[in-house]
Structure formats: structure tokens, C-alpha cells
Amino acid sequence: MEVKTDSAISIRDLKKTFDGREFVMNGLSLELPRGKITVLIGYSGTGKSVLLKHILGLLKPTSGSIHILGQDITDMNTRELTKLRNSFGMLFQYAALFDDMSALENVIFPLKEHRRELSRAQMIETARARLKESGLDEKHYNKQPSEMSGGMRKRVGLARALALDPAILIYDEPTTGLDPVLTEMVDNLIVSTHNARKGTTSVVVSHDLYAAFRIADYVAMLDSGRVLLHGTPQDFLDSDIDLVKRFVSKGVRKELQVHTDAPEEK
Ligand SMILES: Nc1ncnc2c1ncn2[C@@H]1O[C@H](COP(=O)(O)OP(=O)(O)OP(=O)(O)O)[C@@H](O)[C@H]1O
Ligand SMILES: [Mg+2]
């Protein structure tokens, strides 16, 4: 069934139980607007990764519906899902590059899989364009991941995520475990990539509240498999919801510590 909607991703009353008793998704509804950056936040175990897996069609809902770009994905077969997944670009916490391939070959890989109509020369041209877009200096294109810095590897990972020109970009904890300088580079890269690709919808799962507020058009906070608050960063700062207030003050306090070494408040 096709649904006319302005949302890139539309989730209605999603429920998921793995054991038939506990609901990990507990009637979650969320509309992610096209062309915007939405950051998903929430305490550990609230269902962020499970939600992402539903969006990617890796998990089937117990009940409820999920539309991606107007298409209902809940009863798609494997072949349809594989095709749909090509409209997603994904960048994970660990860029997960192929260690025995150069930067360029890493980006060519998805083209070989899904764009067989392209000639080798066209693939190289496309891969080079994506690497350039991701800000990797040309002199590194033939290096293997082990010869690159963490920042360079992230750029290659992003270039590979962009290879198939995805309508939706998904970042799962893209900065977790990175130092502050690299974190800022990746955050800036997410924003510049988003802005350079008109109409792209970006979804970022992040523990880093400060970054979330800096890059997000909208933030959605999950709690117990539901959306606790979905709004602009300002809505979060203004919120009266206790859990939101606690989460926000924790993030802000952490940021103060990083910059001023202020002692932790009790
Ligand atoms: N395959 C599974 N089988 C059973 N339970 C699962 C499975 N995957 C996730 N869960 C449960 O679902 C809940 C939500 O997990 P999820 O991984 O989505 O949390 P999260 O918000 O991503 O947490 P974190 O911030 O730590 O990554 C947890 O209670 C988890 O134990
Ligand atoms: Mg998770």
C-alpha cells in the first residue's frame, strides 16, 4: 500500500516483543520529515538500535506499520527489502571498511554489487567524486585502512555510504569513542554532507547530547520503546518532562566539564 506523506520515514504504533511478554517497542509512533536531520537520543536500552533495525527492515514488527519513502515495508519480501536498502546509506560507529582494499576500492565495492551497468571507468569516477565530497585528500585514495588515520577512515566510510546516492543517510553512534577533535570533524561532516545533498533525510543515533543539539533540526527522545519527546533542540531545553530535563542537564554538564574541568555537581 502506498501512503502519501511528507515523511521520509513514518512509523505508526510499532510494537515489538522478542519473548511474547516484554515489549521492547511499545506503541512507538514517529514521523521523520524529508530533508531534515533528526537525532535519536535516549538512555541505554530504550530501543534506539531496535528501532533502527526495524527501519532497515532487519527486524519485523510484532504489530504496527513502517513506511519508508511512502512504501510499506512490513510485508516486503527479502528481494524487495534488499532493493529498498539501496536507498539507505549507513555509517556505523566503526566504519567497518574492508582491510585489504584501498580507499577507492572500498567505495567502488557497493557500485560493483548494485550498479553493474556501470563501466569500470564510471565506477572509478563515481568513487572518486564521493571521496572528494567526503573530504579525503586525493593522495590517500590508494591507501589501505591500516595506513590511514581514524578521521580518514571515517571519511572513506562516509564516501562508501554515499556511493549509491541514498535518499536516507543513517548514522549509528558515529562519534562514540572518538576524541573531541574527531567528534567535531564527524559532526561537521554530517551537516555538510546533509546540506550538500538537497532533499536527503539524515537520521543520527547518538549518545552525545551536545552534538545532537548542534546538528539536529529535530530531536526524538526514546523511553521504554516509545517517543517521549519529538521536537526542536529548543523544545528540549524548554521541556518540563522530568526525564528530558535530567537527560538535558546531564549532557550540558558533561560539556562544561570537557571545556572547563568544572567539578561534577552532586
Ligand atoms: N535480539 C534481541 N532479542 C531480545 N531482546 C533484545 C534484542 N535486541 C534488543 N533487545 C532488547 O531490547 C531493548 C532495547 O535495546 P536497544 O539495543 O534498542 O537499546 P539502545 O537504546 O540501542 O541502547 P544503547 O544506547 O545501549 O545502544 C533492550 O532491553 C534489549 O535487551
Ligand atoms: Mg544501541
Side-chain angles (χ1 to χ4, degrees), residues 81-203:
L81 279 173
T82 307
K83 204 167 147 231
L84 179 88
R85 267 185 219 124
N86 292 339
S87 44
F88 290 109
M90 282 171 276
L91 185 65
F92 297 111
Q93 180 174 354
Y94 302 105
L97 300 172
F98 299 109
D99 289 330
D100 56 348
M101 287 184 200
S102 68
L104 194 68
E105 288 299 335
N106 262 283
V107 185
I108 288 174
F109 189 83
L111 297 168
K112 272 199 212 155
E113 294 276 292
H114 300 288
R115 294 279 194 278
R116 297 204 185 131
E117 73 281 6
L118 295 182
S119 68
R120 172 80 189 164
Q122 285 170 319
M123 287 185 193
I124 292 173
E125 192 188 340
T126 306
R128 291 179 67 89
R130 297 295 182 269
L131 284 166
K132 184 154 188 262
E133 195 179 332
S134 304
L136 189 74
D137 198 295
E138 209 169 330
K139 65 181 180 233
H140 305 306
Y141 287 8
N142 289 317
K143 286 187 182 163
Q144 301 211 333
S146 61
E147 303 169 288
M148 288 186 269
S149 72
M152 292 179 209
R153 283 199 289 268
K154 283 279 179 186
R155 291 185 194 278
V156 179
L158 180 62
R160 195 177 60 182
L162 298 175
L164 301 175
D165 238 338
I168 301 175
L169 279 167
I170 297 207
Y171 302 87
D172 193 8
E173 305 279 3
T175 60
T176 302
L178 300 183
D179 66 52
V181 174
L182 210 47
T183 296
E184 194 169 338
M185 182 211 99
V186 172
D187 287 338
N188 290 340
L189 201 51
I190 292 172
V191 175
S192 61
T193 303
H194 181 86
N195 291 339
R197 306 185 139 245
K198 275 246 165 300
T200 300
T201 304
S202 301
V203 183

Side-chain angles (χ1 to χ4, degrees), residues 18-19 22 24-25 42-53 59 172-173 205 207 222:
F18 290 101
D19 59 8
E22 194 198 351
V24 173
M25 293 283 102
Y43 289 103
S44 184
T46 49
K48 303 180 297 295
S49 295
V50 169
L51 175 60
L52 224 50
K53 284 179 190 155
L59 284 174
D172 193 8
E173 305 279 3
V205 171
H207 272 108
L222 267 55

